[in-house]
Amino acid sequence: VWLTFLVAKRFYGSKLIGFCSAVFLAVSSYHVFYSRVVIPDACVTFFVMLSVYCYLLGMEKNRSFAALSGLFCGIAFCMHYRVAIFLLYIFIFEVMKKYFGNVRVEKSIWRYAVFLVSAIGTILLLSMAVYQRTGVSYFAMLEYFFTRFSLYNFDLFSFLSLPYYIW
C-alpha cells in the first residue's frame, strides 16, 4: 500500500492522488484476499510496483535505478510468467514519453536497454539457480505447461488462462 502511494505521488506529482490510490488499494477486496492467501500474486504485485517506482526514479535521477527496476521485474517474472507483458508496457511508456514529452530518444533507449538487460539477466540467473537446485529449467517448466494445457497450440487465450488450467 505504501509503495502504491509512492508510485502515484511520483507519477502524478500529488500527495492527494497518492493517498487516494493507497486507500483504494487498501480497501480493495481483491487485494485483501490475495494478500492473505499464499499464492504468488501478492508478491508479484509488490515486485512490479517496486519495479515501476525504481523506473520512475531512474527517469529522474540516474540509470542505476533502471537496472534495479529490471532486477525487480526479473524477480516478478520468475514468480509469474505474465509479467513478461510488463516489458512491453515499459516500452510503450517510453515511446509515449518521446512523442508527447520532450525526452531525448538516446536517453530513453539507453534507459530501456539497461532495464531490459537487467531484467533478462535476472531471469537467466534465477533460472540457472533453479536448474542447479532441481535439475529442471524454469523455461522447460513453462514449455511443459504450455504444451500440456494448450494442446501444442499457443495463442493469447492459453497464455492468459494457463494458471486457471493448472488449478
Side-chain angles (χ1 to χ4, degrees):
V1 174
W2 177 250
L3 208 50
T4 302
F5 170 76
L6 291 176
V7 169
K9 185 180 93 167
R10 179 146 321 260
F11 193 75
Y12 293 107
S14 169
K15 287 184 180 180
L16 178 64
I17 292 177
F19 179 74
C20 289
S21 300
V23 167
F24 286 142
L25 181 66
V27 299
S28 166
S29 61
Y30 179 83
H31 178 71
V32 170
F33 175 77
Y34 284 108
S35 294
R36 66 178 185 79
V37 178
V38 183
I39 55 176
D41 291 359
C43 292
V44 168
T45 303
F46 172 76
F47 280 110
V48 166
M49 289 299 291
L50 196 57
S51 179
V52 167
Y53 183 67
C54 288
Y55 199 83
L56 291 174
L57 284 177
M59 289 175 59
E60 296 174 4
K61 297 186 178 181
N62 60 17
R63 285 185 292 269
S64 63
F65 284 106
L68 201 57
S69 174
L71 172 81
F72 294 133
C73 182
I75 292 171
F77 175 81
C78 288
M79 289 183 192
H80 204 296
Y81 67 93
R82 287 187 193 173
V83 176
I85 198 137
F86 182 67
L87 302 173
L88 178 65
Y89 291 158
I90 293 290
F91 178 74
I92 291 170
F93 177 73
E94 285 292 345
V95 169
M96 288 178 66
K97 287 284 285 182
K98 190 261 180 243
Y99 285 111
F100 298 116
N102 53 1
V103 178
R104 289 189 3 227
V105 175
E106 299 85 21
K107 193 172 184 178
S108 293
I109 291 173
W110 183 248
R111 183 175 44 244
Y112 185 72
V114 168
F115 167 77
L116 196 61
V117 167
S118 177
I120 291 173
T122 303
I123 292 166
L124 291 176
L125 285 174
L126 289 175
S127 179
M128 287 190 311
V130 168
Y131 180 74
Q132 285 180 345
R133 194 161 179 121
T134 64
V136 178
S137 168
Y138 177 78
F139 298 107
M141 288 188 289
L142 278 180
E143 179 187 10
Y144 169 75
F145 286 122
F146 276 124
T147 55
R148 181 170 175 207
F149 293 106
S150 65
L151 303 174
Y152 302 100
N153 184 15
F154 180 78
D155 57 359
L156 184 63
F157 178 74
S158 62
F159 179 72
L160 295 176
S161 61
L162 179 65
Y164 306 108
Y165 289 144
I166 294 171
W167 287 95

